[in-house]
Amino acid sequence: MKELSFFGNYKVKIVFTKEIFPLLKEKNQREKICITDENLYRIYGDRLEEIFGKNIFRISPGEKSKNMGVVLKILEFLCEKRVSRRGKIFGFGGGVVGDITGFVSGIYKRGIEFSLIPTSLISFVDSSIGGKCGINLKNCGKNYVGLFNHPSEIFFDFSLLSTLPQKEVNNGLFELIKYGFVLEKSILETFEGNLTQSELKKLIKISIQKKISVVIEDEKEMGIRKVLNFGHTFGHALEKVSNYSLYSHGEAVGLGMIYALILGKNLNITDEEYLKRGIYLIKKINGLKLKRKHRWENLLNSMSMDKKVDRENSLLFVLTPTPGNFLFKEINDFTILKKTYGEFLKWI
Ligand code: GLY
């Protein structure tokens, strides 16, 4: 087991391990509860039962599980199992499991400890780090209700990524390339070639470091942390108008980054060459397509409802002037956004 603590003031213990199951078994914890999803349970159920016995709560995989109904069922499960405030929850899964685990741990008996074991690429490079735990509200938007609640440890075991379907890998690659556009241009350079397993591992570690350094600087997203929302303003709107059923989160962010690049070009922030290179690299991941021609009015309405909007009649976009750099732009002239959507439809 190797413990990395490259960031002294990030309070979460980061553990890189090649043996997650023996490590969890060793943990001398009295009341251990696991939250995972049905897909993961099918693959790892026996190993999880050796550690957690019957203290495993399984959710249906996917974004639709991030709702208050599921949260309530888990709270009742914890109560039935008589979990005390000294208990600890282990979230074994991707972003959805991580969000739900952090949320439930933050409110059960006013807060109990939790750890995360990310199993998807997207949770390795983004969602497991930074303490955001959000639940969707049907008519309002994604992650509308939530907490900043950090796990005590995050265990990264790369072997868990080996069972991921390609679709899930792609999902994470979109979040990974995001760091290339706004924070670390060498990531874009690596994406130019054919990504090998060892390069991917290296990129994952860079992303983890980048994410931690942003979170240390601005935990509550009052400033620089907003950079991580590159591609998310439009991406979240796509997810919402399609009722979370047409696009994975990564795909929506991929499309959102294309939208942000075109918007940057229309505002004379991103030049034509960078725009073309950026769209080429994003589409190289899986040849992204818009699944339906969504009505502009619905998309705009969803963007305006996004919880990240804090000023009426204006939307904040993260744009990229040059590879690895970013700037924030508040837009209150929505005609440019509509024009950008028209161009976006031609690029896609
Ligand atoms: N996923 C964006 C953030 O954690 O701030």
Side-chain angles (χ1 to χ4, degrees):
M1 181 179 82
K2 193 171 167 202
E3 282 182 21
L4 287 192
S5 49
F6 28 69
F7 291 101
N9 37 3
Y10 187 56
K11 286 179 235 88
V12 180
K13 194 156 116 194
I14 302 288
V15 181
F16 283 95
T17 177
K18 288 186 175 152
E19 296 183 319
I20 185 63
F21 296 107
L23 182 62
L24 291 179
K25 204 161 180 186
E26 259 171 36
K27 289 222 144 249
N28 216 356
Q29 178 77 37
R30 248 173 28 104
E31 304 163 71
K32 287 196 280 201
I33 298 282
C34 175
I35 299 178
T36 189
D37 74 27
E38 294 289 1
N39 286 345
L40 288 160
Y41 186 78
R42 225 168 287 129
I43 304 171
Y44 299 109
D46 290 348
R47 318 243 14 214
L48 291 173
E49 276 180 15
E50 277 174 29
I51 300 159
F52 298 101
K54 298 270 170 264
N55 288 352
I56 301 176
F57 191 97
R58 283 132 58 180
I59 61 167
S60 302
E63 190 69 27
K64 286 202 168 166
S65 282
K66 267 174 46 175
N67 65 64
M68 283 300 180
V70 170
V71 167
L72 200 55
K73 282 198 185 122
I74 299 175
L75 292 172
E76 276 159 5
F77 179 80
L78 296 174
C79 174
E80 272 160 29
K81 295 281 177 190
R82 302 255 185 281
V83 176
S84 77
R85 294 183 73 182
R86 283 189 298 156
K88 181 163 174 178
I89 308 183
F90 292 77
F92 182 88
V96 171
V97 166
D99 269 23
I100 293 178
T101 303
F103 187 76
V104 165
S105 306
I107 60 174
Y108 180 73
K109 296 194 172 173
R110 295 206 188 90
I112 64 172
E113 215 187 316
F114 76 107
S115 290
L116 291 178
I117 304 112
T119 59
S120 67
L121 185 51
I122 209 163
S123 56
F124 262 63
V125 300
D126 182 36
S127 61
S128 67
I129 307 153
K132 280 189 183 175
C133 313
I135 298 295
N136 304 333
L137 271 197
K138 199 161 184 276
N139 296 320
C140 295
K142 203 171 146 84
N143 300 330
Y144 229 77
V145 180
L147 309 164
F148 285 97
N149 188 24
H150 295 272
S152 45
E153 307 140 314
I154 310 173
F155 298 97
F156 294 101
D157 182 341
F158 283 92
S159 71
L160 295 173
L161 298 178
S162 65
T163 51
L164 281 185
Q166 190 57 42
K167 191 172 166 9
E168 266 309 310
V169 175
N170 293 341
N171 201 16
L173 290 178
F174 290 111
E175 286 283 2
L176 212 164
I177 201 172
K178 176 187 83 179
Y179 292 101
F181 284 111
V182 289
L183 289 172
E184 177 59 60
K185 71 175 181 181
S186 70
I187 294 181
L188 294 185
E189 283 149 23
T190 311
F191 266 83
E192 299 276 3
N194 288 325
L195 207 56
T196 63
Q197 283 306 309
S198 74
E199 279 168 337
L200 179 60
K201 232 172 170 177
K202 235 187 263 164
L203 292 191
I204 293 173
K205 287 196 170 166
I206 295 175
S207 306
I208 292 172
Q209 295 192 16
K210 287 282 161 199
K211 175 91 191 238
I212 292 176
S213 54
V214 168
V215 169
I216 286 175
E217 216 178 302
D218 175 25
E219 185 205 353
K220 296 280 163 67
E221 199 176 297
M222 304 310 284
I224 192 183
R225 185 164 178 173
K226 292 181 204 272
V227 69
L228 302 173
N229 297 330
F230 179 60
H232 284 61
T233 311
F234 187 76
H236 276 177
L238 276 178
E239 284 184 274
K240 170 134 189 291
V241 296
S242 56
N243 201 17
Y244 306 100
S245 59
L246 288 183
Y247 310 97
S248 66
H249 177 63
E251 284 170 338
V253 170
L255 291 162
M257 290 189 290
I258 292 179
Y259 183 88
L261 286 166
I262 303 171
L263 180 61
K265 191 258 313 169
N266 286 341
L267 292 164
N268 295 320
I269 287 167
T270 307
D271 73 24
E272 192 86 28
E273 195 188 328
Y274 182 26
L275 167 78
K276 283 189 188 145
R277 177 179 177 226
I279 294 181
Y280 163 76
L281 291 176
I282 294 166
K283 285 185 139 190
K284 198 173 167 206
I285 294 173
N286 80 342
L288 271 183
K289 290 240 171 341
L290 201 64
K291 309 265 167 73
R292 193 178 293 158
K293 190 176 164 206
H294 306 283
R295 285 188 51 188
W296 170 247
E297 292 69 25
N298 295 345
L299 287 167
L300 182 61
N301 189 35
S302 293
M303 286 196 276
S304 314
M305 286 284 289
D306 198 278
K307 68 175 186 321
K308 298 185 197 310
V309 174
D310 47 23
R311 240 174 266 215
E312 228 183 299
N313 295 325
S314 95
L315 290 172
L316 185 79
F317 279 85
V318 184
L319 302 174
T320 172
T322 49
N325 290 306
F326 68 92
L327 56 80
F328 299 132
K329 187 88 188 161
E330 207 147 311
I331 309 263
N332 40 34
D333 167 15
F334 293 166
T335 53
I336 194 149
L337 297 182
K338 188 172 180 183
K339 171 177 180 265
T340 300
Y341 184 53
E343 286 179 45
F344 167 85
L345 292 174
K346 289 187 200 137
W347 275 99
I348 273 301

